[in-house]
Amino acid sequence: MSIEFHNPPSAILASGTKLGVELGGSKSILSIDQFHNLYSEGSVFSELSWGAFYQEEGLEDQIDTFETREYDSVRENPQELIKTIVDSIYNIMNSQRLFYGIADFEVDAFLNQNTIIPGLKLDYRIINKLLNAHKKSRDEQLFPKILSDAKGTKKIKLEFQGAKRVNLHLNGTKLEDYADSLRVCKGFATGIVCTSRGAANLYIMSDNIILKEDKIPELYIDEENLSIIDMGIERQLLFPISWFRIDLGIKSLETLELWEEIKSDPKLEKALTYYDRYIGSLVYKKFQLMASTIGTDVGDDFDNLNPVERRQALKDMAEAIKKLTDEYKK
C-alpha cells in the first residue's frame, strides 16, 4: 500500500552516471497525517556530494574528486538543534499530525564492503550484488526520475516492504489509531531503499520495534525480502539507491548525539509536555469512543491529570477496554 512522502530529503532521490555518483546522507524528523502520509518536518543534517570517477582505464569505478552540492547541519549545535526539534513539534501539532520518528538515509553507492547504517549487518555477497546493480543503473542510466508535482511541491510515492512492514506502516484508519501506537513504541527498522516505477520502496531488512509496553525484541534479517530484491534487480524492476534507518516514535529523540545535553532545556521540555498532552488526548478520544460502543464510561477528568498520571490512566483504560470488549463479544 503506497503513501506519499512530502518534502523527502535529497538522499532518498540520489542517483549517478558513468561519470560519478551522488554520495552523502540525511537525518530528518518525520511526521504522519491521518492518511499515513509522511512529512519531513525538520532537518538534523543533510549532506550530498558529487563523487567524480577517474577517467582512466581500470579506475572507472574509483572516486577521484568530491564536490559538495548540499550541506546543512544542526546536529553539533545544541541551540539550533533544540530550535529544530521545538519548531517541528509545534508545527506537527498545529498541522494535526503526529511525531512519527527520525529517519536516516545514507548514500554510498554501495561502494563500502559493509553497511553504513547502525544496526544492520548483511553478508558481503549481498552488498556486492547491490554494488553491481547500482553500477548497472549508472552505466545504463536506469535510475527512474522522481519529479515534483504541478505546484512545485516535492513528494514521492513510498511503500514499506517486508514481513514486519506493519511496524512502519501502522495499523489503523485515523490519527487516533496511530497515536495509540506511537505514544508507547520504541526501536528502529533498517534496510535498503530501492526505486521502482517512480516510487521509493523501503525494504525492511531488520527491526526491533515494539508497538506496546514491552521489552525490545532481538534483531533479525528478512531473508525473503532479500530474495525479492535479488529477483527485482535481475529483472531490472528495482534499482537500489541507499540505506535507511527509521527510529520510531517520540523516543527516537533519545538517539540524537546531543540528547543528554539538550533534554533538560526549558523550551524543549515545554514543547514535549504540550505534545504529551496532545497525543494523550487523541488516545483518550479513541478510548472514549470504544467505551461508548460497549456501554460504559471512562470519565471526563483526563485533562486535569499530570503527565505521569495520564500515561498510567491510558494504560489502565487500554486494559479495561480490552477486558470489556472481550466480555461484550461473549
Side-chain angles (χ1 to χ4, degrees):
M1 182 177 180
S2 65
I3 58 177
E4 291 183 345
F5 188 2
H6 293 250
N7 194 29
S10 300
I12 202 174
L13 307 174
S15 62
T17 68
K18 288 184 178 181
L19 299 178
V21 289
E22 290 183 315
L23 304 168
S26 65
K27 182 186 287 286
S28 306
I29 296 171
L30 302 186
S31 68
I32 183 175
D33 69 13
Q34 61 179 325
F35 303 110
H36 210 296
N37 296 317
L38 298 179
Y39 298 77
S40 290
E41 293 288 348
S43 173
V44 177
F45 82 89
S46 180
E47 179 181 4
L48 205 62
S49 298
W50 178 255
F53 294 128
Y54 281 100
Q55 298 301 302
E56 300 177 26
E57 187 175 350
L59 299 175
E60 298 92 341
D61 296 326
Q62 296 185 33
I63 304 295
D64 179 17
T65 61
F66 288 92
E67 175 191 350
T68 301
R69 291 185 169 180
E70 175 185 315
Y71 184 80
D72 180 36
S73 176
V74 298
R75 59 180 170 179
E76 297 175 351
N77 186 322
Q79 291 307 310
E80 287 299 317
L81 179 58
I82 290 168
K83 184 178 186 305
T84 297
I85 297 171
V86 169
D87 288 349
S88 296
I89 289 173
Y90 285 127
N91 189 61
I92 287 170
M93 291 188 291
N94 290 334
S95 302
Q96 295 185 307
R97 296 198 285 262
L98 297 170
F99 192 111
Y100 181 75
I102 294 179
D104 286 90
F105 296 98
E106 295 288 344
V107 186
D108 68 344
F110 305 100
L111 294 169
N112 293 317
Q113 294 186 5
N114 300 294
T115 68
I116 53 177
I117 287 290
L120 178 61
K121 295 182 179 180
L122 294 179
D123 186 87
Y124 171 70
R125 182 186 64 82
I126 300 298
I127 299 175
N128 195 51
K129 184 90 171 183
L130 296 169
L131 168 63
N132 291 330
H134 199 277
K135 182 181 184 303
K136 183 178 179 66
S137 298
R138 299 194 306 263
D139 291 347
E140 300 182 17
Q141 298 184 352
L142 296 175
F143 288 105
K145 303 299 182 184
I146 303 177
L147 306 174
S148 302
D149 63 16
K151 297 180 179 179
T153 302
K154 185 191 291 185
K155 61 181 179 180
I156 60 173
K157 292 292 184 181
L158 182 147
E159 291 188 26
F160 295 110
Q161 308 287 355
K164 298 290 189 68
R165 60 182 175 272
V166 70
N167 285 349
L168 289 182
H169 196 123
L170 306 171
N171 278 328
T173 58
K174 51 186 180 296
L175 207 61
E176 292 91 329
D177 297 324
Y178 308 141
D180 192 18
S181 296
L182 290 170
R183 72 184 176 90
V184 293
C185 72
K186 55 186 174 182
F188 63 88
T190 63
I192 303 164
V193 181
C194 296
T195 58
S196 177
R197 298 177 182 176
N201 290 264
L202 273 62
Y203 285 87
I204 304 166
M205 294 291 102
S206 184
D207 89 282
N208 63 358
I209 290 173
I210 60 166
L211 299 175
K212 59 182 179 179
E213 293 170 335
D214 200 354
K215 65 179 182 179
I216 292 181
E218 294 293 325
L219 292 167
Y220 63 93
I221 294 295
D222 190 331
E223 298 292 344
E224 183 177 350
N225 236 3
L226 282 175
S227 297
I228 292 172
I229 292 175
D230 200 1
M231 287 188 292
I233 288 173
E234 289 289 340
R235 297 174 183 176
Q236 294 188 15
L237 297 174
L238 292 177
F239 309 96
I241 301 294
S242 66
W243 307 101
F244 79 87
R245 168 169 165 154
I246 296 178
D247 289 81
L248 207 61
I250 197 71
K251 290 182 180 294
S252 64
L253 291 172
E254 298 173 8
T255 66
L256 297 173
E257 293 179 12
L258 294 181
W259 178 249
E260 290 300 318
E261 181 178 342
I262 69 173
K263 66 179 183 180
S264 298
D265 179 83
K267 292 180 180 178
L268 179 57
E269 286 187 329
K270 182 179 179 181
L272 289 172
T273 298
Y274 279 131
Y275 183 76
D276 185 67
R277 185 178 293 272
Y278 168 75
I279 194 171
S281 296
L282 285 170
V283 178
Y284 183 67
K285 178 181 176 182
K286 175 183 176 179
F287 288 158
Q288 275 188 316
L289 181 60
M290 292 174 65
S292 66
T293 62
I294 54 178
T296 188
D297 183 14
V298 295
D300 58 1
D301 60 349
F302 181 77
D303 286 339
N304 296 324
L305 303 177
N306 64 43
V308 175
E309 292 171 334
R310 284 200 299 274
R311 283 193 287 272
Q312 185 60 48
L314 290 173
K315 183 178 180 180
D316 292 344
M317 279 189 282
E319 294 175 354
I321 291 293
K322 184 179 184 302
K323 291 179 181 178
L324 289 170
T325 303
D326 290 342
E327 290 295 322
Y328 180 74
K329 290 178 179 179
K330 291 181 179 179

